[in-house]
C-alpha cells in the first residue's frame, strides 16, 4: 500500500504542476488585451508574481528541494509580472 501511495502522490504532484503552469500561461491572453488597450487591474497579477517568487525561493532553498512546487510557480514569476507591467 505504501508504494501505491507514493506513486499516487508522485502523479498528483506532476498533474498539479502542469495545471499550475497552465494557470500562469493563461496570463498571455490578458497581456495581449493589455497591449491592445483593454487594461486590467494590476493588483492581482502583482500579488501572484510575489507569491510565485516566494514559493519558488522556498522550494529551491529548502533542504529537500521541492521541484513540483518550484516548477509549478517559476513560470508564474514571469507571466504575472509581465501581465502587471502591461497593465499601465
Amino acid at each position: 500500500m505504501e508504494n501505491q501511495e507514493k506513486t499516487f502522490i508522485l502523479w498528483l504532484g506532476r498533474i498539479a504542476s502542469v495545471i499550475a503552469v497552465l494557470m500562469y500561461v493563461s496570463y498571455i491572453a490578458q497581456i495581449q488585451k493589455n497591449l491592445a488597450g483593454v487594461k486590467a487591474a494590476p493588483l492581482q497579477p502583482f500579488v501572484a508574481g510575489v507569491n510565485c517568487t516566494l514559493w519558488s525561493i522556498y522550494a529551491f532553498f529548502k533542504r529537500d528541494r521541492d521541484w513540483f512546487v518550484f516548477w509549478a510557480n517559476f513560470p508564474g514569476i514571469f507571466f504575472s509580472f509581465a501581465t502587471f507591467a502591461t497593465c499601465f
Side-chain angles (χ1 to χ4, degrees):
M1 180 92 163
E2 187 175 309
N3 193 29
Q4 288 178 339
E5 289 175 15
K6 287 181 182 179
T7 301
F8 173 75
I9 293 298
L10 181 65
W11 277 103
L12 182 63
R14 288 176 180 165
I15 292 167
S17 294
V18 168
I19 296 299
V21 170
L22 291 174
M23 177 176 60
Y24 294 117
V25 168
S26 70
Y27 273 129
I28 292 171
Q30 187 58 52
I31 292 169
Q32 290 172 333
K33 287 181 182 180
N34 288 343
L35 294 174
V38 183
K39 305 294 186 181
L43 183 59
Q44 194 281 332
F46 178 77
V47 173
V50 171
N51 182 54
C52 290
T53 301
L54 295 174
W55 277 113
S56 294
I57 292 168
Y58 164 80
F60 186 80
F61 287 105
K62 68 181 266 192
R63 180 172 296 223
D64 296 322
R65 288 190 173 127
D66 193 336
W67 291 112
F68 290 129
V69 172
F70 177 81
W71 287 114
N73 286 281
F74 188 71
I77 296 169
F78 301 102
F79 288 115
S80 298
F81 286 127
T83 304
F84 170 75
T86 59
C87 286
F88 301 100

